[in-house]
Amino acid sequence: MKGRNWRDFEPPEKRRRQPPPKRKNKKRRRRKKGLLHRLVIFLLLFTMGYCGFYVYYRYGKPYTVALDAGHGGDDVGAEGIIQEVELTEQTVSVLSDLLKADGRFRVVRSRRENETKSITDRSRKFERVKPDLVLSVHGNAEDSGNAYGFECYPAVPGMKNHEKSMQFAESLANEMAAAGSRLRGENGIRFGYYVKNADGSVQKVLFDSTDTKVYENYDTFGILKNVDCAAVLVEQCFVTNESDVAKFGTAEGCEKAAEAYYKAIVAYLEKNEKS
C-alpha cells in the first residue's frame, strides 16, 4: 500500500468528475490573458484611429481659413434696416459651407452663432490655430442712410502680415466689384486705426490705401493682429442703406457676398501656394 493515494480507491467515474485544481487555474489565467490582450489591441486600434483622424483634420488639408462673424450674442453691432450681426452670421455660415464643400479647407470660426465672445478671445483662438488667412465680416453704418458700397481693411503698414493682407484685400475688392458692389474710396481698400485722444477717449481714423505711412502710435483692429497670415476685415454693405441691404444684406445678398469671398480666398491661396 506504500506510495498509493487514497484517491486510488475511489471509483473511476468520481475521479474523472474532479479535475486537478491546477489545470482549472491555468485555464482561468489563459482566459484572463486572452481578454486582456483583446482589450489592449482594441484600445490601441481605437487610439491610432482617433489620432489619425485628428492629424488629418488638423494638418491633412492644404489650407486653414479663419472666419470671424463680427459682433454676436449681446453685441448686435450697428442697427439700421437690419442688425449688423444678422448679416455677419448669415454670410459666414454660407461661406463656411462653401469652403467645406470644396474639400481643401479646414474652417475655423471665431465663435458659435449667437455667442458673446470678446475680440481678444477671438484673436487668441486664431493665433493658436495658425491659419493661412483671416477674414472678418462686418456691416457698415452711417446716420444719413445715403452712404453705400463695399470697403475692406487689411493689416496696416508696418505689420508683419501687411503685404499678404494687401494682396488678399485686392482679391476681395475685385470679386465684390464683379458681384455688383460699388467700391468705396480709392479702390475699396482702406486702413483703419484707433487714435487715443488727450482726454483718454479713442477715435477711429480711416486712411485710403495710398497712405502707406507707418503710424507707430496708432492701434488697429484687434482681429488683424498677432497672426503671420493675410488678415482682412470687410465692411460688406451699409445696413443703414435700403438698396445696399437689398443687394448684400438679405439672405440672397449674403449668399452673393459669400460666393465673392470664396472666389477671393481661392484666388489668393492658389496664387500664394504654401511651400
Side-chain angles (χ1 to χ4, degrees):
M1 300 294 291
K2 189 176 180 180
R4 302 192 61 177
N5 192 290
W6 64 272
R7 286 186 180 280
D8 294 337
F9 296 97
E10 290 183 343
E13 307 84 38
K14 190 173 182 181
R15 289 203 296 262
R16 281 195 294 272
R17 287 197 301 270
Q18 296 177 352
K22 287 185 178 179
R23 290 182 183 177
K24 194 179 287 186
N25 290 338
K26 282 182 181 179
K27 284 183 179 178
R28 285 201 194 101
R29 285 197 294 270
R30 280 197 292 267
R31 195 177 298 120
K32 286 179 181 178
K33 281 183 180 179
L35 289 171
L36 182 61
H37 288 163
R38 285 194 288 272
L39 180 61
V40 169
I41 290 170
F42 171 78
L43 291 174
L44 183 61
L45 291 173
F46 176 81
T47 303
M48 289 173 64
Y50 176 81
C51 291
F53 173 78
Y54 175 80
V55 169
Y56 171 75
Y57 179 77
R58 176 66 181 85
Y59 304 103
K61 294 178 183 292
Y63 306 112
T64 298
V65 177
L67 300 179
D68 173 57
H71 306 281
D74 297 333
D75 177 14
V76 299
E79 295 189 73
I81 297 162
I82 60 170
Q83 292 181 333
E84 184 178 357
V85 72
E86 296 176 52
L87 175 152
T88 67
E89 290 190 346
Q90 282 189 81
T91 302
V92 166
S93 179
V94 175
L95 178 56
S96 177
D97 290 343
L98 289 171
L99 291 167
K100 289 176 181 177
D102 182 289
R104 292 175 290 176
F105 302 99
R106 175 193 175 217
V107 178
V108 177
R109 295 176 64 164
S110 64
R111 64 173 181 83
R112 298 185 299 273
E113 288 194 12
N114 302 315
E115 180 184 20
T116 302
K117 196 171 186 179
S118 71
I119 285 292
T120 300
D121 289 340
R122 285 143 70 177
S123 178
R124 283 176 180 167
K125 181 176 182 179
F126 287 170
E127 188 178 357
R128 287 195 301 270
V129 301
K130 303 187 185 308
D132 293 292
L133 62 79
V134 172
L135 177 63
S136 181
V137 178
H138 286 257
N140 225 332
E142 188 261 346
D143 291 338
S144 73
N146 296 324
Y148 66 99
F150 170 88
E151 58 191 11
C152 61
Y153 297 86
V156 299
M159 293 178 67
K160 58 186 177 182
N161 58 337
H162 168 66
E163 294 299 329
K164 296 176 183 177
S165 301
M166 278 297 293
Q167 292 179 32
F168 183 35
E170 289 168 3
S171 185
L172 287 163
N174 290 338
E175 291 298 339
M176 282 299 286
S181 181
R182 171 205 175 202
L183 300 183
R184 290 173 55 80
E186 191 74 23
N187 54 4
I189 302 172
R190 289 179 169 173
F191 300 133
Y193 297 94
Y194 291 118
V195 181
K196 196 169 185 179
N197 298 319
D199 61 359
S201 62
V202 176
Q203 179 183 358
K204 185 190 289 187
V205 178
L206 309 178
F207 295 137
D208 280 329
S209 59
T210 52
D211 188 345
T212 57
K213 180 181 175 181
V214 176
Y215 296 91
E216 295 181 355
N217 296 325
Y218 292 2
D219 199 4
T220 189
F221 304 125
I223 205 71
L224 306 180
K225 300 189 293 186
N226 304 318
V227 290
D228 293 324
C229 65
V232 179
L233 182 149
V234 300
E235 297 281 9
Q236 187 163 304
C237 69
F238 278 79
V239 300
T240 48
N241 183 282
E242 192 171 346
S243 64
D244 225 20
V245 169
K247 283 184 178 179
F248 295 104
T250 61
E252 294 79 8
C254 289
E255 286 182 16
K256 190 192 298 184
E259 288 170 2
Y261 300 154
Y262 166 72
K263 291 177 183 177
I265 289 169
V266 171
Y268 168 78
L269 291 175
E270 286 182 347
K271 186 177 179 180
N272 299 272
E273 287 286 347
K274 293 196 296 185
S275 56

